[in-house]
Amino acid sequence: MSFRSAGDARGAASSSHAEAEPEQGAPRSGERVIDPELRLQHALDVAYRYLSRRERTVREVRQHLELKRIEPATIDAALEELERSGYLDDAGYAKRFAEDRRSLDAWGAERIERRLQALGIAAEHMRAALAEQDAEGEQDAALAALCRRYPSPLEGPQERERALGYLVRKGYGLDLAYVAIRAHGIDPQ
């Protein structure tokens, strides 16, 4: 009677799998996919996974695909497909981003514009998104942000300078910040 050890059994099982041939047409490890349709599908799969976390700009998706070493022609085709199917929309992204930053973080137009530029949004999309709020609305937003931060009237030049710096960092223009500070000091009676 012969006994085989567990190691012998594993060795026999693994050797039978090692000799198995890969599926017909499947790329072997380390081999590049030659079929352009398969390359495009791979790029789209990578992009869909990246977009599943949150909305992205065209530039962000392009950079992500480049980091994954996808060929430039395939990236262009994937981005075109994503835009055509509505998964990428820089104009809509800019509009929603501006609305969110205004309402949630009390950002001013200048800060929103800087951030949209950094995200790679085209100038015409930025202008359209920033045009959603008129000058009076921007002034009201600056005053509201100032009132949240400084509920009581500002006392002294040092506190006014601090408030001015706060509004400028939030992205409100210097002139608008001065107007908001003056309005904050007026008694609403």
Side-chain angles (χ1 to χ4, degrees), residues 13-152:
S14 64
S15 66
S16 66
H17 289 294
E19 296 168 11
E21 287 293 315
E23 279 186 49
Q24 188 70 20
R28 296 178 184 185
S29 64
E31 190 177 296
R32 292 187 63 93
V33 178
I34 297 174
D35 184 13
E37 285 185 29
L38 288 176
R39 284 193 307 232
L40 176 60
Q41 187 57 51
H42 171 69
L44 287 171
D45 290 344
V46 170
Y48 289 139
R49 276 193 304 277
Y50 189 57
L51 288 167
S52 71
R53 293 178 186 95
R54 70 171 177 85
E55 190 175 12
R56 310 278 183 170
T57 65
V58 172
R59 178 196 261 176
E60 288 176 308
V61 174
R62 177 180 294 281
Q63 289 173 341
H64 182 73
L65 293 175
E66 288 170 351
L67 285 173
K68 297 294 182 180
R69 298 177 186 245
I70 295 175
E71 295 174 0
T74 306
I75 291 173
D76 292 339
L79 292 175
E80 185 179 304
E81 173 63 29
L82 290 168
E83 285 180 292
R84 186 175 46 249
S85 60
Y87 285 98
L88 286 177
D89 176 20
D90 278 359
Y93 181 94
K95 182 180 176 186
R96 286 183 293 280
F97 182 86
E99 288 171 358
D100 286 350
R101 296 294 66 92
R102 281 186 181 114
S103 63
L104 299 175
D105 298 329
W107 283 13
E110 291 177 8
R111 187 167 181 187
I112 292 169
E113 182 178 11
R114 284 192 308 267
R115 183 67 178 131
L116 288 173
Q117 280 177 335
L119 290 169
I121 301 293
E124 66 269 10
H125 299 318
M126 277 190 289
R127 282 193 298 275
L130 294 172
E132 294 283 322
Q133 186 163 345
D134 61 352
E136 188 176 318
E138 187 84 357
Q139 183 177 338
D140 291 343
L143 183 57
L146 189 61
C147 289
R148 276 194 305 274
R149 175 71 177 208
Y150 299 96
S152 59

Side-chain angles (χ1 to χ4, degrees), residues 148-168:
R148 276 194 305 274
R149 175 71 177 208
Y150 299 96
S152 59
L154 302 171
E155 295 181 17
Q158 188 176 14
E159 193 170 23
R160 282 192 290 278
E161 284 295 318
R162 236 181 278 142
L164 178 68
Y166 169 75
L167 288 175
V168 169

